[in-house]
Every structure is written in structure tokens, then in C-alpha cells.
């Protein structure tokens, strides 16, 4: 049976500073099945990931997902904007 993993992946956390990856190649069998992914912004940066890890929703999502900043970043950014406006 053929094995066709998705061609685009998003990491839930930065991996080598990157979150969006594309499929380069795949290999292995059974529990040792893996994929090699390259960072979209730097194709020279490659990661080999076990298939079981790639299927862990806490680690990876298939497709290129929008990165949502956490609430602390949004609050701090809004505070910075208000502070800058007050200075002017």
C-alpha cells in the first residue's frame, strides 16, 4: 500500500526558528517511518521527523496553518502602541 503524507506542515512550536515546512522525502517502515521536511523560509534547513511525531497534534498540523500570537504578545503590543501615542 502506498504512503502519501501531506506536502505542507506547521509545527506548533518553532523548530530551528521555523514553523512552516514542506515535504522533501520520506522513508522507513512501521515504527521507524519518517519524513524529511525543509523550512519554507530557508529550504536549506531540514528536519527529519518520525511519522508518529508528525501525527501528534500537540507537535504538528498538516498544511500551513496561520500562526496565532499568544494573548500576552497582543496585550504587550497594544500597550506599546498606546505608550508611543502618548509620547507624541
Amino acid at each position: 500500500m502506498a504512503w502519501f503524507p501531506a506536502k505542507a506542515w506547521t509545527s506548533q512550536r518553532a523548530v530551528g526558528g521555523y514553523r512552516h515546512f514542506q515535504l522533501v522525502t520520506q522513508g522507513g517502515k512501521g515504527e521507524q517511518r519518517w519524513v524529511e521536511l525543509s523550512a519554507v523560509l530557508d529550504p536549506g534547513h531540514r528536519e527529519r521527523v518520525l511519522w508518529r511525531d508528525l501525527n501528534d497534534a500537540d507537535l504538528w498540523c498538516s498544511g500551513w496553518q496561520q500562526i496565532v500570537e499568544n494573548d500576552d504578545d497582543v496585550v504587550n503590543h497594544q500597550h506599546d502602541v498606546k505608550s508611543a501615542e502618548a509620547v507624541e
Side-chain angles (χ1 to χ4, degrees):
M1 177 163 89
W3 173 48
F4 300 104
K7 295 185 185 282
W9 294 88
T10 301
S11 174
Q12 298 291 0
R13 294 174 189 83
V15 176
Y18 303 102
R19 301 275 303 268
H20 293 109
F21 292 82
Q22 56 192 3
L23 179 70
V24 175
T25 192
Q26 62 203 45
K29 292 183 180 187
E31 288 295 314
Q32 297 306 311
R33 190 170 274 183
W34 53 266
V35 297
E36 186 169 318
L37 304 171
S38 68
V40 172
L41 295 176
D42 179 8
H45 179 88
R46 293 189 174 193
E47 296 285 336
R48 186 170 283 194
V49 181
L50 288 175
W51 180 242
R52 69 172 174 257
D53 293 339
L54 209 57
N55 282 299
D56 183 340
D58 291 332
L59 301 175
W60 294 90
C61 294
S62 95
W64 291 331
Q65 308 299 320
Q66 182 176 358
I67 305 300
V68 178
E69 301 295 331
N70 66 37
D71 291 339
D72 292 338
D73 291 341
V74 173
V75 170
N76 289 338
H77 176 68
Q78 290 173 346
H79 177 72
D80 292 342
V81 170
K82 288 178 183 173
S83 298
E85 290 171 354
V87 171
E88 290 179 16

